[in-house]
């Protein structure tokens, strides 16, 4: 079967890139010819611009600032973009055509595909800056709600609505259109129970021909850590010369600067969180903090929290290598939590209770989301994690078997 996947594969975001790869390889292992649809909307290009970009007023202003303040940020951004491009070219089976607009998707002949899959990631989040109804597969020629098809089958695998409210920025007219699009799916699943609540509360599932909407695991959970280590090995991704394996703290907090997470990392570095800590360690004795950035900018704003930090712009393979070599991890990223669990790393997080993705994962494992530290490497945790992952993979297998894939 020829399958196309439509997701946020081109976002300069580690979780987005790795979940796209994970789903591609999972379906390929089931014997299918899988292609990631190379859709790069104008909104997403504005959200993740090149370091010198004039595609919006904001990005033009940022370009001027970078050019005037020196080339350090430009070099970092170029390094990161190059690493993401290398990962995509080496690992993703992209469609021959790159789609730069929703219109180009509609004009394409999709008859050679047997199935198009939308998901995973926050592609159904109306509050996302790069939201598009294309992620509801509105470009396919299909008669919604009547069981009639003149195109590929439509499957939603674990899309997420993120933290959006019931109203979000969706108009009533758009809600009606999306309801019709969802009704045309052959099979639907979501990544979190909160997304199911959002779809139900907005009335988006009422017209669906298939009312069953199970909660499915994020695609990265469908593989063990060795699977991801092979990616880093293939790209010959190595740790920076300035860091020592097992001796540093990996910090990753995508989006805006998070003061609580930074203070948490700095406290761990200073020894303040240790069981036998007697005070602040001298600077030369502190554990190094390696910070990897995310989003359109590499610069920091506001007062710097860290006493000392090594910035490391990198791509998805480098992310895996840095995480695997860390003594522990700190941050707000959901995928940092997931990969820390897969790698058996101690993970520190200041906001687990406020994030429905983290809350659901921790609740399933029987861990309190009110905590700030999750010791995934403890021997007592390993059987629990193994049972959880086995359950995730069984549920995914059952979903795809029912979908005919």
């Amino acid at each position: 079967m020829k399958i196309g996947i439509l997701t946020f594969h081109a976002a300069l975001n580690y979780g987005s890139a790795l979940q796209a790869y994970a789903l591609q390889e999972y379906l390929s292992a089931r014997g299918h010819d899988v292609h990631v649809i190379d859709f790069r909307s104008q909104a997403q290009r504005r959200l993740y611009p090149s370091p010198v970009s004039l595609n919006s007023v904001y990005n033009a202003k940022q370009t001027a600032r970078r050019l005037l303040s020196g080339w350090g940020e430009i070099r970092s951004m170029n390094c990161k973009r190059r690493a993401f491009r290398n990962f995509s070219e080496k690992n993703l089976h992209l469609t021959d055509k790159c789609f730069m607009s929703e219109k180009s998707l509609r004009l394409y002949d999709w008859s050679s595909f047997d199935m198009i899959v939308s998901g995973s990631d926050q592609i159904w989040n109306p509050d996302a800056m790069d939201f598009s109804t294309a992620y509801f597969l509105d470009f396919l020629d299909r008669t919604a709600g009547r069981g009639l098809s003149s195109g590929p089958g439509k499957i939603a695998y674990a899309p997420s609505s993120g933290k959006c409210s019931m109203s979000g920025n969706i108009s009533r007219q758009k809600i009606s259109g999306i309801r019709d699009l969802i009704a045309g799916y052959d099979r639907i699943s979501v990544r979190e129970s909160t997304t199911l609540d959002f779809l139900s509360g907005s009335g988006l599932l009422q017209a669906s021909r298939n009312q069953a909407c199970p909660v499915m695991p994020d695609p990265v959970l469908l593989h063990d850590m060795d699977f991801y280590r092979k990616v880093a090995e293939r790209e010959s991704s190595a740790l920076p010369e300035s860091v020592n394996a097992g001796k540093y703290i990996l910090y990753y907090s995508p989006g805006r600067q998070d003061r609580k997470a930074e203070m948490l990392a700095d406290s761990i570095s200073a020894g303040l969180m240790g069981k036998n800590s007697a005070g602040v360690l001298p600077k030369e004795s502190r554990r190094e903090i390696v910070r990897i950035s995310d989003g359109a900018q590499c610069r920091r704003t506001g007062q710097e929290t860290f006493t000392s930090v090594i910035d490391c712009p990198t791509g998805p393979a480098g992310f895996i290598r840095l995480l695997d070599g860390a003594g522990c991890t700190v941050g707000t990223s959901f995928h940092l939590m997931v990969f820390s669990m897969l790698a058996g790393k101690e993970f520190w997080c200041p906001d687990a209770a406020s994030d429905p993705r983290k809350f659901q994962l921790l609740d399933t494992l029987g861990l309190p989301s009110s905590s700030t530290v999750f010791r995934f490497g403890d021997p007592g945790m390993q059987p629990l994690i193994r049972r959880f992952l086995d359950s995730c993979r069984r549920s995914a297998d059952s979903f795809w078997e029912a979908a005919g894939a």
Side-chain angles (χ1 to χ4, degrees):
M1 182 181 295
K2 186 176 181 181
I3 299 177
I5 298 173
L6 186 65
T7 187
F8 285 158
H9 77 285
L12 297 186
N13 177 286
Y14 304 102
S16 295
L18 289 165
Q19 63 85 21
Y21 175 65
L23 183 57
Q24 169 193 278
E25 294 301 288
Y26 172 82
L27 291 173
S28 295
R30 294 181 69 85
H32 302 294
D33 178 20
V34 185
H35 301 262
V36 175
I37 298 171
D38 198 5
F39 174 51
R40 304 167 186 252
S41 67
Q42 183 181 49
Q44 191 171 80
R45 298 197 303 274
R46 287 177 176 173
L47 184 60
Y48 299 97
S50 61
V52 178
S53 174
L54 304 177
N55 63 9
S56 72
V57 173
Y58 175 81
N59 287 333
K61 290 180 179 179
Q62 293 302 311
T63 293
R65 177 190 58 75
R66 294 185 192 107
L67 292 172
L68 291 172
S69 62
W71 293 86
E73 185 180 342
I74 291 177
R75 284 193 295 269
S76 293
M77 291 181 69
N78 273 333
C79 176
K80 183 171 182 174
R81 291 177 68 85
R82 183 166 56 251
F84 268 82
R85 184 172 60 251
N86 289 341
F87 173 83
S88 180
E89 291 174 351
K90 292 179 180 179
N91 298 287
L92 296 183
H93 306 152
L94 299 177
T95 51
D96 293 335
K97 180 177 176 58
C98 181
F99 302 91
M100 306 297 279
S101 68
E102 287 82 356
K103 181 179 179 180
S104 64
L105 286 169
R106 291 193 295 271
L107 293 175
Y108 188 76
D109 180 7
W110 297 99
S111 61
S112 66
F113 285 83
D114 301 296
M115 179 184 292
I116 303 293
V117 180
S118 52
S120 175
D121 218 341
Q122 295 187 43
I123 59 170
W124 283 5
N125 182 357
D127 292 334
M129 294 180 66
D130 46 356
F131 172 77
S132 170
T133 53
Y135 295 106
F136 288 92
L137 308 185
D138 65 352
F139 54 89
L140 293 180
D141 183 14
R142 199 165 176 83
T143 305
R146 300 180 183 177
L148 303 177
S149 172
S150 58
K154 297 170 66 176
I155 302 292
Y157 181 78
S160 171
S161 64
K163 295 182 180 180
C164 68
S165 62
M166 288 300 173
S167 58
N169 54 22
I170 311 181
S171 65
R172 289 187 177 181
Q173 182 179 5
K174 186 172 287 188
I175 284 179
S176 176
I178 291 175
R179 184 186 300 119
D180 290 341
L181 291 172
I182 290 179
Y185 274 83
D186 296 289
R187 191 161 294 271
I188 298 173
S189 65
V190 292
R191 194 175 66 179
E192 302 97 17
S193 57
T194 50
T195 295
L196 179 58
D197 293 341
F198 167 73
L199 295 177
S200 301
S202 300
L204 295 175
L205 286 178
Q206 291 179 358
S208 175
R209 290 186 290 108
N210 188 345
Q211 290 293 333
C213 183
V215 176
M216 285 288 111
D218 186 288
V220 300
L221 292 167
L222 304 180
H223 306 276
D224 290 326
M225 192 62 190
D226 283 343
F227 169 84
Y228 300 102
R229 290 184 179 117
K230 291 177 182 177
V231 176
E233 292 171 1
R234 282 199 304 269
E235 295 198 23
S236 301
S237 179
L239 292 176
E241 294 181 0
S242 56
V243 302
N244 298 312
K247 303 292 185 181
Y248 63 89
I249 299 164
L250 180 65
Y251 176 83
Y252 174 47
S253 184
R256 295 181 179 179
Q257 186 174 4
D258 192 293
R259 189 77 65 188
K260 290 182 179 179
E262 290 186 351
M263 291 177 66
L264 187 59
D266 208 45
S267 295
I268 298 168
S269 173
L272 293 176
M273 312 301 287
K275 296 179 180 179
N276 301 313
S277 175
V280 179
L281 294 172
K283 185 174 181 180
E284 61 273 13
S285 301
R286 296 186 180 201
R287 299 174 73 182
E288 295 171 316
I289 298 173
V290 175
R291 174 176 57 196
I292 47 181
S293 63
D294 198 59
Q297 297 184 38
C298 294
R299 74 185 182 104
R300 308 301 295 171
T301 59
Q303 182 180 356
E304 181 64 84
T305 303
F306 297 121
T307 303
S308 61
V309 65
I310 300 171
D311 273 307
C312 190
T314 188
F319 173 83
I320 295 298
R321 181 70 77 187
L322 286 168
L323 184 141
D324 212 22
C328 69
T329 62
V330 183
T332 60
S333 162
F334 166 70
H335 281 105
L336 180 66
M337 171 184 277
V338 170
F339 281 104
S340 297
M341 181 188 69
L342 291 176
K345 299 291 180 181
E346 183 177 279
F347 172 65
W348 294 76
C349 176
D351 72 338
S354 65
D355 187 324
R357 301 169 299 170
K358 298 172 197 163
F359 178 87
Q360 179 169 294
L361 176 64
L362 295 170
D363 185 60
T364 305
L365 288 170
L367 299 176
S369 59
S370 57
S371 178
T372 56
V373 59
F374 306 95
R375 306 186 190 280
F376 295 126
D378 283 1
M381 282 291 299
Q382 295 307 303
L384 182 63
I385 292 173
R386 184 76 263 161
R387 288 195 296 272
F388 166 68
L389 293 174
D390 288 343
S391 175
C392 286
R393 293 158 192 175
R394 284 195 302 270
S395 64
D397 290 345
S398 296
F399 176 84
W400 288 109
E401 286 168 7

